[in-house]
Structures are given as C-alpha cells and as structure tokens.
C-alpha cells in the first residue's frame, strides 16, 4: 500500500475512533429514564439536522448549483421515504401508558418503546457513517498537502465526532441495556472514515466525478433529514414533551454548528467537506 495512503488511514482512525469517546460518556452513566432519553434524542436530532442541512446539502448546492443540489437532496428524501414504508416499526405509545410496569401490558409497551429507540439508534448510526465518508476523503486530501495539514484536520474531526458517538450510543444503550452493544455500534460508525480514505485513494481519481460525489453527499443529507424528522423527533416529543424537546433540538444544532465551524477553519481554503 502506498505510504501516503497508510498515513492518511492512520490519521483517519484518529478522527473516526473518537466516536468511541462519545460512547464512553454514555456508558459510564446509568441508563437514562424516558424523559432524559427524549431530551438527548432531541439533542441528537439537532446534531443530525445540522449535518444534513448546514453541511451536506449546503456543500452540494454550493458545488453543483442550487437546482441540482436540491434535486439530489430530495432524491434522497424520496428514496428513503419509499424504503421506510417497507420497514416494520413498533407504534409509539403514550408515556402515561408506558409508566405501568407492574402488569404484562406495561411490560409489553416498554418493549415497544425499546424497539423503537433501538431502530432510531441504528438509523442514526447509518446516517453518521455516511456522513463520515467525506471526512475520511478530506483527511486523505489534507495529508497529500502535508503531514501537518492532515494531522490538524484529523484532530479537528476527532473533536467534531465526539457528539456523534453520543448520538449513536445513547439510544442503543437505552434499548438494549448493553454497554458493549452501544460502544460497538458507535465505534463501527467511526470506521467509515478510513473507508472514505480508501474510496478516494483508489476509486475517486478514475471513476467518480466531483459533481456526482457532491450530488451523492447531498442525497445523504436528504436521507439523514428524513430519518431525523421521521424517527428521532417523534421520540423526543413523545418522551420529553414538545417544548423541552424543541429546546434540545436547537441546542444540538448549535453544538454541531460550532463543531462544523471549527472544522471548517482548520481546512485549507481550497478544501471543503
């Protein structure tokens, strides 16, 4: 393997595996109750919406034009809207009904809650993994410019990925009550970054045009937006209440916006995620 690719892979692992740090913050604490879970799901939804609209869709529109960027974005929305129709999912039950653990019906309802939350965690992991691909590509391109640029970028991405690890591990931990499962899924979502390095090193130069790449990333933004609005926000509203959940959403958006800003200023001007 080319030494330059090896260096980029090592740097991308620094950034990608920082999702494990976010998972540690989750598993070192007791499993949250439903209200706390709702607040944290709202926070995670804010993270996902910021990635979708302010990062992926925004970059696609700037790179390939407003119309094409929107077409790719809504292609992702429509595609996963159709896919969601074929995915069986438990029906949400009101909090007042879930708070009856003494009888069999209450236990069944809690199981439904946990299955719904687990589904939310899995789709969050998928969305964040797709988002991490271009970060791996950016690390590779930065390492080509020099080790200092690649290292600075990898460290910036590492800080940026910590809340993403929280967003993945939290619902999995609540649903499965397994620290290992939560840690494992959050860690695996970070491995998309070294895969991004391999993709750009061996496929991007000869087979994938920049316009198609930006369009695909715009579609990923549409997918993430759909999954957030379809899966995560209903959970947040149901468990934490609308007012509190909305506050958590905007707090999550602010946190990810700040993270994206510091990531952007660490990039050379001619590069972007």
């Amino acid at each position: 393997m080319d030494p330059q690719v090896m260096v980029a892979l090592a740097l991308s692992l620094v950034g990608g595996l920082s999702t494990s740090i976010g998972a540690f913050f989750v598993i070192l604490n007791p499993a949250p109750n439903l209200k706390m879970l709702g607040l944290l799901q709202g926070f995670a939804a804010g993270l996902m919406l910021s990635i979708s609209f302010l990062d992926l869709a925004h970059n696609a529109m700037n790179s390939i034009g407003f119309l094409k960027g929107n077409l790719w974005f809504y292609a992702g929305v429509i595609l996963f809207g159709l896919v969601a129709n074929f995915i069986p999912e438990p029906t949400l039950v009101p909090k007042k009904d879930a708070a009856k653990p003494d009888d069999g019906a209450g236990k069944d309802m809690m199981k439904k809650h946990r299955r719904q939350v687990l589904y939310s965690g899995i789709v969050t992991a998928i969305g964040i993994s797709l988002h991490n691909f271009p970060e791996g590509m950016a690390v590779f391109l930065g390492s080509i410019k020099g080790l200092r640029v690649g290292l600075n970028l990898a460290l910036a991405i590492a800080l940026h990925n910590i809340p993403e690890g929280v967003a993945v591990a939290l619902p999995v931990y609540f649903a499965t009550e397994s620290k290992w499962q939560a840690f494992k899924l959050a860690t695996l979502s970070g491995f998309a970054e070294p895969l991004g390095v391999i993709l750009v090193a061996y496929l991007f130069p000869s087979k994938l045009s920049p316009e198609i790449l930006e369009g695909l990333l715009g579609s990923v933004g549409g997918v993430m937006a759909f999954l957030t609005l379809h899966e995560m926000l209903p959970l947040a509203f149901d468990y934490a209440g609308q007012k509190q959940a909305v506050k958590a959403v905007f707090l999550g958006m602010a946190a990810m916006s700040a993270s994206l800003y510091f990531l952007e200023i660490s990039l050379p001007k001619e590069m972007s995620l």
Side-chain angles (χ1 to χ4, degrees):
M1 183 178 288
D2 189 296
Q4 205 166 44
V5 177
M6 293 287 289
V7 171
L9 277 173
L11 292 176
S12 67
L13 283 171
V14 172
L17 291 180
S18 65
T19 55
S20 302
I21 300 175
F24 269 123
F25 285 123
V26 173
I27 65 178
L28 292 178
N29 293 292
N33 58 33
L34 287 179
K35 183 175 181 180
M36 179 59 65
L37 177 72
L39 291 173
L40 294 174
Q41 281 282 285
F43 182 82
L47 299 179
M48 297 279 282
L49 288 174
S50 284
I51 292 172
S52 174
F53 290 110
L54 303 181
D55 183 18
L56 298 177
H58 173 75
N59 288 340
M61 291 178 205
N62 283 343
S63 299
I64 62 177
F66 183 82
L67 178 59
K68 289 183 179 180
N70 270 280
L71 289 175
W72 278 100
F73 178 86
Y74 285 107
V77 172
I78 293 170
L79 173 63
F80 270 76
L82 294 173
V83 170
N85 289 327
F86 300 98
I87 300 176
E89 48 186 285
T91 303
L92 284 172
V93 291
K95 285 188 297 182
K96 61 182 181 181
D97 293 333
K100 299 177 181 178
D102 295 333
D103 54 25
K107 292 180 180 179
D108 289 341
M109 290 176 184
M110 180 58 69
K111 289 181 180 178
K112 290 182 179 180
H113 277 285
R114 294 189 184 279
R115 287 198 298 269
Q116 180 74 16
V117 172
L118 178 61
Y119 178 79
S120 171
I122 292 172
V123 297
T124 301
I126 294 171
I128 286 178
S129 296
L130 293 172
H131 163 71
N132 283 343
F133 271 105
E135 293 180 352
M137 296 174 183
V139 169
F140 176 76
L141 296 174
S143 64
I144 290 177
K145 292 180 176 295
L147 180 60
R148 182 186 61 83
V149 174
L151 181 59
N152 288 341
L153 180 56
L155 291 176
I157 288 175
L159 294 175
H160 164 77
N161 281 351
I162 290 174
E164 295 180 355
V166 173
V168 174
L170 174 70
V172 176
Y173 183 29
F174 176 85
T176 66
E177 298 183 323
S178 169
K179 295 181 178 182
W180 167 243
Q181 293 296 332
F183 179 80
K184 180 174 68 174
L185 195 58
T187 300
L188 287 176
S189 70
F191 276 109
E193 286 197 22
L195 290 178
V197 171
I198 295 172
L199 180 67
V200 75
Y202 293 106
L203 298 181
F204 176 75
S206 59
K207 296 184 180 180
L208 197 61
S209 72
E211 181 171 332
I212 295 296
L213 177 63
E214 289 293 344
L216 289 172
L217 295 177
S219 291
V220 170
V223 170
M224 292 177 65
F226 179 87
L227 293 175
T228 301
L229 297 173
H230 187 259
E231 300 297 335
M232 300 178 72
L233 281 183
L235 282 174
F237 288 167
D238 189 66
Y239 295 155
Q242 184 173 342
K243 290 183 179 180
Q244 296 300 317
V246 167
K247 293 176 183 178
V249 168
F250 280 109
L251 183 61
M253 292 182 72
M256 184 54 69
S257 295
S259 175
L260 291 170
Y261 170 74
F262 288 114
L263 183 59
E264 180 183 4
I265 63 176
S266 71
L267 284 165
K269 291 184 179 179
E270 62 272 22
M271 293 175 59
S272 67
L273 294 178

